[in-house]
Amino acid sequence: IRTALQQGSFDKMTGPVEADETFIGGKAINMHKHKRAEKIRGRGASGKEIVMGVLERGEPKKKGKGSTKANKERKVSKVRVKHISDRKQGTLHAEIKETVEEGAEVMTDAFPAYDGLNPDYIHRFIDHSVEYVVGTVHTNNLENFWCLLKRGIRGTYVSVNADHLFRYLDEQAWRFNERKGNDGQRFLRAVKSVVGRRLTYQQVTGK
């Protein structure tokens, strides 16, 4: 099901865009025996869940006369994240095609699964074993979001159930995308988006 926090998230990104993946969850070796076996047979790295992110870059802050008004109106970075089953080329390409307008500039790391995005996109990549930035080619904005996401999960929720991970991802992405406002503005926007969206106990628990 789509949650209220996903409202307005269906327009495709136009770029420049950064794409990357990260892993969420504890190490399988620290889990209970039956959970450990389940995770090791399943997806992810050492039992962790895979999350893919796509971030549309915003405009840099302006300095000088009239910059205050310009900064209030400037386009800010927006991110979308999704819990995915694997890091295969077909999976990653499908997510980019669903999220990003064809012809946009897409920045990734040198992970081979991103090969072949051309000619549908202007694909530029950075090899993190050598360097992290070459001109405008980098994934640093998305790396920053990963830090915020993991800090939020570990600091607030400690651990999350894989079946509900997408809900936590939606919340953290929404907080990031609405960061220009204050708590009151974010609360009102969230409440308004709840209208017509009913979440039942059966849907939450899967029973």
Side-chain angles (χ1 to χ4, degrees):
I1 60 173
R2 310 297 292 183
T3 67
L5 297 185
Q6 291 172 306
Q7 182 168 321
S9 65
F10 298 100
D11 293 334
K12 287 193 173 183
M13 295 179 171
T14 56
V17 166
E18 299 174 19
D20 191 28
E21 335 83 59
T22 193
F23 298 97
I24 301 292
K27 295 180 179 179
I29 195 172
N30 296 328
M31 297 179 181
H32 189 275
K33 182 178 179 180
H34 80 278
K35 278 289 184 183
R36 181 168 66 249
E38 176 185 323
K39 288 293 183 182
I40 290 175
R41 289 195 304 269
R43 58 189 178 224
S46 300
K48 294 189 177 185
E49 304 298 325
I50 310 170
V51 174
M52 182 179 181
V54 181
L55 180 144
E56 183 180 55
R57 291 181 184 171
E59 299 169 347
K61 286 187 177 181
K62 297 181 179 180
K63 299 179 181 179
K65 188 176 181 180
S67 61
T68 301
K69 181 179 179 181
N71 285 329
K72 287 182 178 180
E73 297 174 350
R74 73 187 177 93
K75 175 185 172 183
V76 297
S77 300
K78 299 287 185 180
V79 69
R80 296 178 198 170
V81 285
K82 186 174 181 180
H83 185 195
I84 58 176
S85 59
D86 57 65
R87 301 170 73 208
K88 296 179 181 178
Q89 186 180 73
T91 301
L92 302 185
H93 282 216
E95 292 304 321
I96 290 174
K97 289 179 179 179
E98 182 181 344
T99 308
V100 184
E101 284 281 0
E102 188 172 318
E105 188 175 17
V106 178
M107 318 284 185
T108 71
D109 58 21
F111 186 46
Y114 288 113
D115 292 347
L117 284 172
N118 291 320
D120 294 332
Y121 299 95
I122 303 169
H123 180 212
R124 307 189 192 283
F125 66 88
I126 189 81
D127 187 347
H128 287 165
S129 66
V130 178
E131 52 202 348
Y132 282 85
V133 180
V134 176
T136 61
V137 182
H138 61 80
T139 58
N140 291 348
N141 297 297
L142 199 44
E143 295 289 351
N144 174 61
F145 175 76
W146 292 144
C147 290
L148 295 173
L149 170 66
K150 293 179 180 181
R151 191 183 307 159
I153 290 178
R154 292 170 183 164
T156 304
Y157 307 111
V158 183
S159 64
V160 298
N161 187 300
D163 293 336
H164 300 293
L165 177 57
F166 76 95
R167 294 189 171 94
Y168 294 95
L169 297 177
D170 287 343
E171 178 190 354
Q172 295 301 319
W174 185 82
R175 287 179 181 275
F176 179 84
N177 294 338
E178 297 294 327
R179 64 193 181 281
K180 281 187 70 175
N182 55 42
D183 287 343
Q185 292 169 330
R186 282 188 286 272
F187 175 78
L188 291 175
R189 185 173 177 83
V191 170
K192 288 179 181 179
S193 67
V194 168
V195 176
R197 295 165 181 260
R198 185 173 178 233
L199 182 64
T200 66
Y201 177 79
Q202 183 178 10
Q203 289 172 314
V204 172
T205 60
K207 296 180 180 180

